[in-house]
Amino acid sequence: MNFSCGKLNNMSKRQKHGLIYILAAIVLVILYICFPKGGNSLVLLFGAAGAYGTALMFGTLGEILTEKSGNMNLGVEGIMYMGGIFGLIAPNVYEMAVGSGNASAFVAIILAILASFLSGAIAGALFSFITVTLRANQNVTGLAMATFGTGVAKFAGELRRHQVGGYVTLSNDLKAAFDNKFMPDFLKNIPIIGKIIFDQSIFFYMAIILAVLIHLFLKKTKKGLYLRAVGESPVTADAAGINITRYKYLTTIIGGGISAIGGMVYTMTTAGCVWIEASLAGTGWLAVALVIFCSWQPLHSTWSSILFGALMIMYLRIIVPFFPQELYKILPYVVTVIVLIITSTRNIKDKQPPASLGVNYFREER
């Protein structure tokens, strides 16, 4: 059967939606059959994926905001690395200064958020200066930023390890505070959705709220409309009196800070508040893939991050003798490619990247 892109284009909207639902149903059935304990284990998988998905959600939201301005920052990997280490160093220094018994969990969490956001914001400012002011190639700059940020994080982690004379970590009380599942038990025990939605840390709900706020900002505010105009057609936006440089700088700086918080969340929850150099490897690239998967829509990042988190840890839950573990880890990228093909053939404006994404704006050429 020759199922070409042309045939896909000729399908009606209802037929395409039906095809997607059928594929999703087939995947769920296969997962249900593969799990040794059936649906209960599947729910537990997505519940466990929430912690990993939260870090991805922050990384994705930050990159969505950045790309809405037309800037393609491929340095998310390095930015999340920087957020991971500096978000750990800040409460580590605080705890050692006041003593483990006197450290406030609230202060430690605030310091972790602020330190990680600041590190990502600095990286975003550097990217903006190189690409907006100096007009360097965005792809090359992003790749350099990924390498630079990863190197800075590993250097800072090793330096701090030598200073403390061991692992860079926190006390058990602060570890419990960062990964505290504070929702009441009756919510956690709700069938199916209890473990997935209500058995998560505070960072999960912060990410959900942030996704809603970014969505409302982009769709319901004048500033959000200006930002989208900058990303779609900077020539037209400039002619209308919109400050292109200001919008690109601010969104890239804020987006970098948000992505860096994702690195901190991963270190403080999934990695157990211990700095391990290789723990964040690939997380930033996965966030970039998620931006494509959720079609640059902030609200879609909520469920898609959990889905990608489940795909990333699936090799720990589903064991198929003839299926190598390495193939499990490429599933998110395979799904991204499939979604990219479907959205491209459907040619829906809201699901396409900003028209000027990755292209530097030269006012002299207007």
Side-chain angles (χ1 to χ4, degrees), residues 25 46 48 63 108 113 121 126 161 189 206-207 212 231 239 290 330:
F46 281 97
E63 183 63 10
I113 293 174
L126 179 59
R161 188 180 69 83
N189 294 329
M206 289 174 59
V212 174
L290 255 173
I330 68 171

Side-chain angles (χ1 to χ4, degrees), residues 87 90-92 94-95 103-114 170 174 177-178 203 264 268:
N92 175 260
Y94 162 70
E95 185 179 34
S104 167
F106 176 78
V107 173
I109 292 175
I110 295 299
L111 286 174
I113 293 174
L114 292 177
L170 302 177
L174 288 187
F178 275 95
F203 299 110
M264 179 275 294
M268 307 307 262

Side-chain angles (χ1 to χ4, degrees), residues 27-100:
V27 171
L28 289 176
V29 170
I30 292 174
L31 289 175
Y32 187 93
I33 294 174
C34 289
F35 273 89
K37 295 182 181 180
N40 185 52
S41 294
L42 187 59
V43 171
L44 293 177
L45 168 67
F46 281 97
Y52 192 92
T54 302
L56 289 175
M57 204 182 307
F58 277 107
T60 303
L61 289 171
E63 183 63 10
I64 287 176
L65 189 62
T66 298
E67 294 192 7
K68 283 295 184 179
S69 70
N71 277 355
M72 179 182 286
N73 187 357
L74 296 178
V76 180
E77 176 85 354
I79 290 174
M80 293 188 72
Y81 253 102
M82 292 174 64
I85 183 58
F86 290 112
L88 174 60
I89 288 178
N92 175 260
V93 172
Y94 162 70
E95 185 179 34
M96 295 189 69
V98 302
S100 59

Side-chain angles (χ1 to χ4, degrees), residues 245-327:
T245 301
R246 179 189 300 170
Y247 274 89
K248 284 183 174 288
Y249 260 89
L250 285 177
T251 52
T252 305
I253 290 172
I254 296 173
I258 294 173
S259 294
I261 292 177
M264 179 275 294
V265 170
Y266 186 92
T267 300
M268 307 307 262
T269 56
T270 304
C273 295
V274 179
W275 175 245
I276 303 173
E277 287 187 0
S279 62
L280 274 164
T283 307
W285 298 115
L286 200 56
V288 174
L290 255 173
V291 174
I292 301 172
F293 180 84
C294 63
S295 303
W296 292 267
Q297 302 298 312
L299 292 182
H300 291 181
S301 69
T302 54
W303 61 268
S304 59
S305 296
I306 298 176
L307 174 61
F308 268 45
L311 292 175
M312 289 302 294
I313 65 174
M314 190 180 295
Y315 71 96
L316 299 173
R317 304 276 179 162
I318 300 179
I319 301 177
V320 180
F322 56 85
F323 201 75
Q325 288 188 359
E326 290 74 16
L327 292 181

